[in-house]
Amino acid sequence: MSAITDKTLLDNFLNLIPAGVFWKDKDRRFLGANKMFLDYYGLESVSELIGNTDEDMGWHIDPEPFKRDELRVINNGDSIKNVLGQCIVQGKIRKIRASKSPLYDKGEIIGLVGYFMDITDEVEERQRLSYLSQTDDLTGIFNRRAYNDVVLQYEEQYKINKTDFVLYMIDLDDFKRINDEYGHEYGNMAIIAVSKALSMAAAENCVLFRYGGDEFIVLHQLQSVDEVEVIEKRLLKAIDSARKIDDAKIVTKASIGHAMYSKTNSLLSLIELADKRMYEMKKEHKAKR
């Protein structure tokens, strides 16, 4: 039986690893790579790689972050772990996670060794699940879960640079009557129609949410206080109209209340004030009937 050499063992080990492994000299030029690395970039031979830098290979839209990391490894002896990045792979942009460490010989850094893994599918699946979890099944607009995330970003922006924002709480009037007279399927179609109308009426920098049932929320960052009333009227006008849904002519009306963050300085108080004002309008509407 022939002895297994260190080189044979290393070559087999490198080809077994489910990651693209590579090593470079002190000038960041490739010295070698495993088979998975070559296959990933569509290289037929390691000779196409040796002596080149990342910039020579043209794999990155912005190569500077990769270059800075590698210089840290080579010049400072740092190790970097699980750094996220993008690379161009056979005409497509892919997302990777890379780790790199100094390559030593007799205590002296002579280059670096690293590996990467493609995480494109993982990231896209995570984004897809995030989108699904934050999207209302019926209307396709943001849901209450998304509101909880987005409003925190608005609050953070206010704390950073005092960019004020307004919250509109919208509730359809007598929506139960639509369900009772026409059925829940018509009610669902009415909700869809209203969400489309609100999406069209909302300014470009408004964000629309279905908060639950027949309740909607609109968030808007303010450039001027005058916008508050203008947008409120526009939202109400979009809802207060007759709609032909299937064969039925359905009239939708709504009540709306607003609150500005600068007047409350609390997300809980913000939504409570908008909700209170919305119900005040709802009482006025009932009194007129």
Side-chain angles (χ1 to χ4, degrees):
M1 177 183 290
S2 59
I4 299 176
T5 65
D6 290 344
K7 183 180 184 309
T8 299
L9 183 61
L10 179 60
D11 288 344
N12 280 270
F13 180 70
L14 287 173
N15 290 332
L16 181 65
I17 295 175
V21 181
F22 58 93
W23 48 103
K24 298 182 175 184
D25 64 19
K26 289 193 70 172
D27 293 319
R28 303 178 43 254
R29 295 175 301 198
F30 283 100
L31 296 172
N34 70 345
K35 186 175 186 302
M36 180 175 172
F37 185 105
L38 300 179
D39 291 345
Y40 185 77
Y41 284 105
L43 302 175
E44 294 184 3
S45 168
V46 73
S47 62
E48 299 176 58
L49 183 67
I50 291 176
N52 292 308
T53 63
D54 281 13
E55 297 91 291
D56 295 328
M57 300 304 294
W59 284 332
H60 308 300
I61 296 174
D62 179 9
E64 284 305 309
F66 297 88
K67 182 178 180 179
R68 284 195 300 267
D69 283 347
E70 292 185 350
L71 290 175
R72 277 178 49 209
V73 173
I74 294 169
N75 296 331
N76 303 339
D78 295 341
S79 290
I80 59 172
K81 303 292 183 183
N82 298 319
V83 175
L84 300 180
Q86 290 184 334
C87 58
I88 302 169
V89 183
Q90 301 183 57
K92 297 179 180 179
I93 294 178
R94 305 288 295 182
K95 296 177 177 64
I96 62 171
R97 182 184 290 121
S99 298
K100 300 169 187 177
S101 293
L103 184 62
Y104 288 96
D105 182 36
K106 298 178 182 178
E108 180 185 349
I109 297 176
I110 60 171
L112 65 84
V113 61
Y115 68 91
F116 71 87
M117 300 185 71
D118 188 296
I119 58 169
T120 307
D121 294 340
E122 174 188 330
V123 170
E124 289 179 351
E125 178 64 9
R126 194 160 60 239
Q127 291 173 340
R128 185 185 73 84
L129 292 175
S130 175
Y131 171 79
L132 291 176
S133 71
Q134 295 192 332
T135 304
D136 178 58
D137 290 339
L138 179 64
T139 62
I141 64 177
F142 278 143
N143 60 17
R144 188 168 184 160
R145 183 194 296 267
Y147 163 79
N148 292 332
D149 290 341
V150 173
V151 76
L152 288 173
Q153 298 175 41
Y154 276 62
E155 182 181 46
E156 183 65 23
Q157 197 63 29
Y158 178 84
K159 291 177 179 178
I160 293 172
N161 59 18
K162 296 299 180 183
T163 302
D164 203 1
F165 64 95
V166 58
L167 180 149
Y168 298 95
M169 173 68 78
I170 304 165
D171 187 85
L172 298 186
D173 294 342
D174 297 323
F175 184 69
K176 183 176 182 299
R177 177 186 57 81
I178 295 176
N179 281 329
D180 291 344
E181 288 186 18
Y182 301 100
H184 287 283
E185 188 60 35
Y186 275 87
N188 284 341
M189 287 190 282
I191 290 290
I192 293 170
V194 167
S195 72
K196 289 180 179 178
L198 286 173
S199 295
M200 294 289 291
E204 288 184 2
N205 55 346
C206 290
V207 184
L208 173 65
F209 308 85
R210 185 185 179 197
Y211 197 64
D214 58 328
E215 285 187 324
F216 296 86
I217 281 179
V218 173
L219 292 176
H220 173 72
Q221 284 186 318
L222 293 167
Q223 295 181 355
S224 166
V225 177
D226 297 336
E227 293 177 294
V228 175
E229 188 175 347
V230 171
I231 293 175
E232 183 170 301
K233 288 180 179 178
R234 190 162 68 228
L235 294 172
L236 276 177
K237 184 179 179 181
I239 300 172
D240 292 356
S241 60
R243 293 179 172 83
K244 187 174 182 181
I245 298 177
D246 209 358
D247 292 326
K249 187 178 182 181
I250 295 178
V251 177
T252 55
K253 297 285 184 179
S255 298
I256 187 169
H258 74 267
M260 293 168 55
Y261 186 82
S262 61
K263 304 297 184 182
T264 59
N265 286 301
S266 159
L267 292 181
L268 180 60
S269 299
L270 179 75
I271 200 166
E272 286 179 346
L273 180 56
D275 194 56
K276 178 176 178 289
R277 289 173 172 171
M278 182 267 292
Y279 274 104
E280 288 173 354
M281 182 181 285
K282 194 173 284 289
K283 288 178 183 178
E284 292 175 5
H285 289 174
K286 286 183 179 179
K288 291 179 181 178
R289 288 200 296 271

